[in-house]
């Protein structure tokens, strides 16, 4: 524990550093909401404190992803990597397709936007909106310049390159040529050292989380507090009910089917879910979700270093649900409820759109344009569809919080399932017989 900062046991600072982190985050959340409601838009003056938190998380994302992915891919035999990757991909795709269906069901059930007539308020639509092309998104997974991709924070190309690099190391570590084998081992150890250093930094960043959370929540409530209600309250309620249903029925069902204690999962996953909720970024939450997978769930680095960055990038169940509900909302709002055929199309495009959605705040709202486009609801400036879209866009922060929390919870659930199928979860710990995980690695 040599690196731990020594703090006085007395006073507010002493309390701060000794209290349970989750409790501190929850206190930050509650105080932030109250502060935001009380101050209104003036709460924005605390936003730099939140920005610092988001920047700290962003700062560590790339090094964490690269080092853990290289170490992860480099530490498992190439054959096993294919198996884990295959399993994770299948789970991710399946749950995303079910997620859109859940969104559509709840949308049909609650019919948000039904009583609205917005065809006359075309002027509400505003800016020119650009649609990303899906093919382009897929091609861009292969970077022209990996260093450029790192510098620009493009996560998919970085995952792709790190994975290849790690696989290269894994192959060479098996080399019969002693010189090559040793060289590969040295590169592997270098990245392993980087990963450990990054975990240490993550620990320190988390100490700041409660303050960051306070500020981020205060700003959202300050801006949207009382005005975020009205017809949009129904969209919000529908989307959130669908999130809960998906987490309980789909993840709960899948975890139980794989004999993983769902209640235990929910209690362990909380720090990751809450961080996702307040940061609205799956990628930004990665350092926390990796820490939870490693220290609280006992998932091995070989699995989480692969499943979590991949999940944070392509597994967006919350986003898929949101797109389902919002497509229904847009249909009702412009007086043209979606047909069954259109809803089937939404399932296909929303799954693709959620894959192409970056794990950053607001990305899902941009991809919604692609989904609406696919069913003929073109968001042209001045159109009724654009007005409906602009309304949802106005409360995007609120919706984004829930969908990101759902996205990250899904990544964690799939990681646990893959770990379980690889025989890695400690049964006794997961069943509550043991309260502490056996340390998988020496902790500094
Ligand atoms: N903010 C979401 C995430 O990071 C993506 C989205 O906007 O739907 O998972």
């Amino acid at each position: 524990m040599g690196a731990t900062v020594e703090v006085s046991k007395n006073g507010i600072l002493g309390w701060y550093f000794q209290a349970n982190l989750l409790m501190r985050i929850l206190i930050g959340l509650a105080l932030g909401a109250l502060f935001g409601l009380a101050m209104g838009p003036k709460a924005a003056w605390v936003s730099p404190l939140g920005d610092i938190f988001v920047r700290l998380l962003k700062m560590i994302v790339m090094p964490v992803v690269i080092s853990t992915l290289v170490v992860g891919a480099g530490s498992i035999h190439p054959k096993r990597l294919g198996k884990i990757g295959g399993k994770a991909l299948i789970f991710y795709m399946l749950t995303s397709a079910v997620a859109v269906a859940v969104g559509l069901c709840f949308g049909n059930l609650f019919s948000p936007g039904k009583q609205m007539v917005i065809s006359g308020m075309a002027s509400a639509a505003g800016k020119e909106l650009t649609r990303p092309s899906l093919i382009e998104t897929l091609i861009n997974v292969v970077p022209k310049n990996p260093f450029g991709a790192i510098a620009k924070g493009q996560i998919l190309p970085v995952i792709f390159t790190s994975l290849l690099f790690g696989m290269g190391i894994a192959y060479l570590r098996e080399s019969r040529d002693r010189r090559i084998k040793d060289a590969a081992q040295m590169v592997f150890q270098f990245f392993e050292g980087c990963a450990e250093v990054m975990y240490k930094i993550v620990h320190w960043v988390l100490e700041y989380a409660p303050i960051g959370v306070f500020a981020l929540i205060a700003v959202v409530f300050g801006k949207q507090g009382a005005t975020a209600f009205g017809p949009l309250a129904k969209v919000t309620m529908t989307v959130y009910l669908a999130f809960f249903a998906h987490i309980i029925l789909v993840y709960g069902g899948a975890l139980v089917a794989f004999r993983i204690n769902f209640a235990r999962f929910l209690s362990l996953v909380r720090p990751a879910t809450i961080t996702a909720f307040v940061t609205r970024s799956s990628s930004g939450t990665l350092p926390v979700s990796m820490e939870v997978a490693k220290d609280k769930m006992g998932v091995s680095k070989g699995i989480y270093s692969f499943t979590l960055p991949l999940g944070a990038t392509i597994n967006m169940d919350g986003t898929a649900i949101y797109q389902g509900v919002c497509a229904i909302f847009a249909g009702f709002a412009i007086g043209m409820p979606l047909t069954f055929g259109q809803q089937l199309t939404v399932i296909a495009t929303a799954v693709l759109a959620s894959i192409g959605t970056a794990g950053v705040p607001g990305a899902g709202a941009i991809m919604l344009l692609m989904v609406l486009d696919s069913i003929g609801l073109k968001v042209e400036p001045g159109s009724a569809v654009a007005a409906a879209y602009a309304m949802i866009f106005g409360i995007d922060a609120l919706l984004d919080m829930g969908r990101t929390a759902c996205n990250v919870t899904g990544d964690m659930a799939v990681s646990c399932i893959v770990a379980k199928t690889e025989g890695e979860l400690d049964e006794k710990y997961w069943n509550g017989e043991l309260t502490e995980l056996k340390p998988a690695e020496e902790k500094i």
Side-chain angles (χ1 to χ4, degrees):
M1 294 296 283
T4 310
V5 183
E6 279 300 323
V7 286
S8 131
K9 286 207 162 53
N10 305 315
I12 187 120
L13 210 62
W15 175 85
Y16 185 86
F17 281 107
Q18 278 157 25
N20 173 292
L21 179 64
L22 190 66
M23 192 181 85
R24 278 184 280 153
I25 292 182
L26 286 176
I27 292 175
L29 193 97
L31 288 181
L34 289 176
F35 184 80
L37 285 175
M39 300 288 286
K42 283 203 203 108
W45 68 262
V46 293
S47 71
L49 293 175
D51 293 346
I52 288 176
F53 180 50
V54 174
R55 290 179 81 106
L56 281 170
L57 287 172
K58 290 226 169 106
M59 172 189 87
I60 48 186
V61 164
M62 279 295 169
V64 166
V65 167
I66 296 169
S67 54
T68 53
L69 209 47
V70 169
V71 172
S75 59
I76 38 182
H77 198 276
K79 266 193 203 148
R80 207 170 154 233
L81 181 68
K83 214 170 106 206
I84 292 171
K87 276 189 216 169
L89 271 179
I90 291 173
F91 280 120
Y92 284 154
M93 295 299 99
L94 276 181
T95 52
S96 297
V98 174
V100 197
V102 168
L104 288 172
C105 286
F106 274 77
N108 284 308
L109 202 65
F110 292 100
S111 320
K114 198 169 186 178
Q115 258 79 52
M116 284 168 56
V117 188
I118 56 168
S119 33
M121 34 181 294
S123 60
K127 43 198 170 156
E128 195 73 46
L129 299 156
T130 47
R131 270 185 300 276
S133 129
L134 187 68
I135 298 288
E136 222 171 281
T137 313
L138 290 179
I139 291 175
N140 287 341
V141 168
V142 183
K144 279 192 275 188
N145 172 1
F147 297 101
I150 295 172
K152 286 190 208 132
Q154 298 165 336
I155 197 101
L156 264 184
V158 172
I159 288 183
F160 181 79
T161 315
S162 308
L163 212 52
L164 276 186
F165 194 83
M167 283 162 70
I169 293 179
Y171 272 104
L172 295 188
R173 284 174 86 204
E174 306 288 319
S175 172
R176 287 205 208 117
D177 184 329
R178 181 93 214 162
R179 186 185 55 85
I180 295 180
K181 191 179 165 111
D182 288 349
Q185 184 61 21
M186 208 165 74
V187 176
F188 179 77
Q189 279 173 347
F190 168 77
F191 279 95
E192 207 173 25
C194 291
E196 289 301 330
V197 172
M198 289 319 298
Y199 291 136
K200 195 83 227 161
I201 297 178
V202 168
H203 242 92
W204 293 333
V205 169
L206 286 184
E207 291 297 328
Y208 179 72
I211 298 169
V213 165
F214 165 84
L216 288 170
I217 292 289
V219 174
V220 171
F221 272 76
K223 251 198 227 146
Q224 314 210 319
T227 54
F229 300 115
L232 290 173
K234 204 165 177 188
V235 181
T236 311
M237 180 200 76
T238 310
V239 168
Y240 272 83
L241 281 177
F243 291 154
F244 283 118
H246 189 72
I247 290 175
I248 291 170
L249 299 178
V250 179
Y251 301 150
L255 287 167
V256 169
F258 283 88
R259 296 172 180 278
I260 300 173
N261 187 330
F262 181 48
R264 185 96 170 128
F265 170 80
L266 287 181
S267 85
L268 295 175
V269 81
R270 269 181 308 180
T273 307
I274 293 175
T275 310
F277 186 79
V278 298
T279 59
R280 297 188 284 129
S281 168
S282 299
S283 304
T285 306
L286 262 181
V288 181
S289 37
M290 286 183 166
E291 170 118 348
V292 170
K294 174 171 154 254
D295 289 346
K296 293 206 185 300
M297 296 180 162
V299 177
S300 78
K301 193 184 277 175
I303 290 179
Y304 76 74
S305 68
F306 180 74
T307 55
L308 289 178
L310 187 71
T313 317
I314 69 163
N315 184 48
M316 305 271 173
D317 292 0
T319 305
I321 289 173
Y322 148 89
Q323 285 166 343
V325 174
C326 290
I328 298 267
F329 169 80
F332 276 125
I334 63 165
M336 288 165 56
L338 300 195
T339 63
F340 185 66
Q342 278 176 312
Q343 297 194 24
L344 286 183
T345 312
V346 168
I347 294 188
T349 45
V351 171
L352 292 177
S354 67
I355 295 173
T357 304
V360 296
I366 306 293
M367 297 310 276
L368 178 61
L369 295 172
M370 193 179 102
V371 176
L372 293 177
D373 195 59
S374 73
I375 47 170
L377 302 184
K378 293 207 187 305
V379 182
E380 308 281 6
S383 67
V385 184
Y389 179 80
M391 287 191 68
I392 309 168
F393 200 79
I395 52 157
D396 192 56
L398 223 52
L399 304 180
D400 198 7
M401 291 165 111
R403 62 182 191 250
T404 311
C406 183
N407 291 344
V408 169
T409 309
D411 301 340
M412 300 296 285
V414 169
S415 301
C416 286
I417 290 174
V418 173
K420 175 80 181 195
T421 60
E422 293 291 310
E424 278 192 4
L425 293 191
D426 184 337
E427 299 281 340
K428 286 201 172 135
Y429 172 75
W430 271 85
N431 292 333
E433 284 172 48
L434 290 177
T435 48
E436 294 279 328
L437 259 182
K438 272 187 254 123
E441 295 150 352
E442 194 55 38
K443 302 218 173 66
I444 309 159

